[in-house]
Amino acid sequence: MLLIVLGAVCLLVGILVGLTGVGGILVPPGLILLSGLEPHEAMGTALASFLPIGLVGTVMYRRLGHVDWSRATPFMIGGLAALPGAVLNASINAKPLVILLAGIILFAGFCVLRPPKAGGSVFWQSRAGFFFIGASTGFLAGMTGAGGPVLTIPWMIAAGVAPMTAVGLAMPYQVVTALFGTVGNIADGHVDFALLPIICILEVAGFAGGVVLAKRTPTGMLRTLIGGVCCLLGLFLLVRELEQYFLN
């Protein structure tokens, strides 16, 4: 029964990514709570599952004209920091990692409910700025399996990048973070290859449906749904881990 629920979560994640570019943040906690995987392995498996969506999304958004390689390249180079993030993940106790993941989920929820206003300095729209954003969020993606877009999209929008362009740039970046983060996680045995293909298939199927629904779904309703789910899930994970910490 739990695996059926997990499958539904993965399908939903794909739909949300197709609709908004954000949604993968729900996979790591879903695996932690529903699959029985140890947190390190759940985070590593989640990050690996984002590679197919990143590839499909890159092709799609490139065709739509939302992937500017002059901007995407330094962003993707920064994403290589997912590899040391994944290596560090293996040496840290699971509890602080889950607490960090809960904090990222809460941050994502608040950003969705209260989108950042466009603006930012010239630096954040330069190649150096894009590299810094990519490296910072890539490192966290490798550590927690949360994926990069959940952090990079609100950061880029706040820096003055158009929302659709921010989502488009996040796709090839996600390919890099998922690929190199997974290399580090495989080295430590933190990827469940038995479960991974099923997760990938469901996420890609949901992604295709999400792209179709994107033209028909009211933005306000979608934002409230995603933001509310992220805030509740992040708060639940945080309270759960803190309760276990103090009780033990």
Side-chain angles (χ1 to χ4, degrees), residues 143-172:
M143 280 186 66
T144 65
V150 70
L151 294 174
T152 61
I153 290 174
W155 195 337
M156 285 192 289
I157 292 174
V161 178
M164 283 295 289
T165 300
V167 174
L169 290 173
M171 293 301 163

Side-chain angles (χ1 to χ4, degrees), residues 44-101:
T45 304
L47 187 60
S49 76
F50 301 143
L51 181 57
I53 281 186
L55 290 169
V56 173
T58 297
V59 172
M60 185 193 75
Y61 278 92
R62 176 60 178 166
R63 289 177 177 174
L64 293 174
H66 293 300
V67 179
D68 179 354
W69 291 112
S70 65
R71 284 174 148 184
T73 300
F75 193 32
M76 293 165 68
I77 293 173
L80 295 174
L83 177 55
V87 172
L88 181 60
N89 169 284
S91 64
I92 298 178
N93 185 275
K95 286 190 180 298
L97 285 174
V98 176
I99 290 173
L100 176 60
L101 175 63

Side-chain angles (χ1 to χ4, degrees), residues 6-27 49-50 53 56 60-61 171 174 199-214 226:
L6 177 61
V9 169
C10 293
L11 190 63
L12 174 63
V13 163
I15 292 172
L16 294 178
V17 174
L19 282 167
T20 66
V22 176
I25 190 68
L26 300 177
V27 179
S49 76
F50 301 143
I53 281 186
V56 173
M60 185 193 75
Y61 278 92
M171 293 301 163
Q174 182 159 256
I199 297 173
C200 291
I201 291 171
L202 290 171
E203 287 179 1
V204 171
F207 179 81
V211 171
V212 174
L213 289 173
I226 298 174

Side-chain angles (χ1 to χ4, degrees), residues 4 39 45 120-121 127 130 135 185 198:
I4 294 176
T45 304
S121 66
R127 291 185 177 182
F130 271 74
N185 286 318
I198 300 172

Side-chain angles (χ1 to χ4, degrees), residues 107-229:
F107 171 79
F110 286 129
C111 285
V112 172
L113 291 173
R114 297 181 64 86
K117 296 180 179 179
S121 66
V122 175
F123 170 76
W124 293 117
Q125 296 194 49
S126 68
R127 291 185 177 182
F130 271 74
F131 172 81
F132 183 84
I133 294 173
S136 302
T137 55
F139 187 78
L140 288 173
M143 280 186 66
T144 65
V150 70
L151 294 174
T152 61
I153 290 174
W155 195 337
M156 285 192 289
I157 292 174
V161 178
M164 283 295 289
T165 300
V167 174
L169 290 173
M171 293 301 163
Y173 165 78
Q174 182 159 256
V175 172
V176 173
T177 56
L179 178 60
F180 283 88
T182 298
V183 168
N185 286 318
I186 288 174
D188 294 304
H190 289 158
V191 178
D192 186 328
F193 286 102
L195 194 57
L196 181 61
I198 300 172
I199 297 173
C200 291
I201 291 171
L202 290 171
E203 287 179 1
V204 171
F207 179 81
V211 171
V212 174
L213 289 173
K215 299 178 181 180
R216 306 175 183 177
T217 306
T219 304
M221 182 182 73
L222 185 64
R223 181 183 299 129
T224 301
L225 174 63
I226 298 174
V229 169

